[in-house]
Amino acid sequence: MAAGEEDRTERVRRSSSKTPAKKSARKASTERASSRTSEGETKRTSRRLSAPRAMRYAAEQLQELLGRAPESVSALKPTEEGWQANVEVLELERVPGTTSVMASYRVTLDKEGELVAYERTRRYTRGQIDPRG
């Protein structure tokens, strides 16, 4: 590799690592929307969005709205309109960590993976055991 090529690679790496997560999620969502063509939309409607992608899209878009990074996706199920996911988010960090306040959000995605609704369904401390078993 030439020296100029190495420098360009380093520059690209540095600039991408400084991109805030909020902008990355927005950029990914924008890229998904702009990459659609009339032919692509026809293909998407005939084929369901995969579960791993639905999980990623739910977490990314909720992070963009809340400004907080999701900790996990605890549930995901297909619906007639797309997908529904439960996303766990750290709302208030405390010491010790078991007393931190967590929230569970229900996120609804359409068939293309775009967020159409979300709601907070539960708040709890991290150390709390779910009574449902």
Side-chain angles (χ1 to χ4, degrees):
M1 235 186 230
E5 290 176 346
E6 289 175 8
D7 291 342
R8 193 176 338 123
T9 305
E10 274 188 31
R11 237 179 287 127
V12 170
R13 284 186 189 148
R14 265 188 252 129
S15 65
S16 66
S17 65
K18 292 181 181 179
T19 304
K22 192 172 183 180
K23 286 187 179 181
S24 298
R26 183 177 300 125
K27 183 179 178 185
S29 180
T30 304
E31 286 172 357
R32 280 196 312 273
S34 65
S35 68
R36 292 192 187 115
T37 63
S38 58
E39 182 181 318
E41 285 185 29
T42 305
K43 288 180 183 178
R44 285 180 196 248
T45 55
S46 64
R47 188 173 160 207
R48 178 178 282 284
L49 182 69
S50 70
R53 277 205 174 130
M55 289 175 71
R56 260 193 317 276
Y57 292 173
E60 286 173 359
Q61 293 176 77
L62 186 63
Q63 178 177 351
E64 185 178 335
L65 291 171
L66 299 178
R68 296 185 190 104
E71 298 240 334
S72 66
V73 177
S74 59
L76 180 71
K77 70 177 181 179
T79 65
E80 288 184 20
E81 297 81 28
W83 291 92
Q84 189 172 64
N86 289 347
V87 182
E88 308 304 316
V89 176
L90 175 65
E91 293 232 319
L92 181 62
E93 191 167 9
R94 292 185 176 162
V95 176
T98 55
T99 62
S100 293
V101 178
M102 303 291 295
S104 183
Y105 287 85
R106 180 178 302 126
V107 177
T108 305
L109 303 176
D110 65 14
K111 290 180 181 178
E112 286 80 33
E114 296 299 318
L115 189 143
V116 292
Y118 77 95
E119 67 176 314
R120 185 173 62 199
T121 57
R122 179 174 173 236
R123 287 185 88 187
Y124 58 97
T125 59
R126 186 186 293 273
Q128 184 178 347
I129 295 173
D130 193 353
R132 292 179 278 179

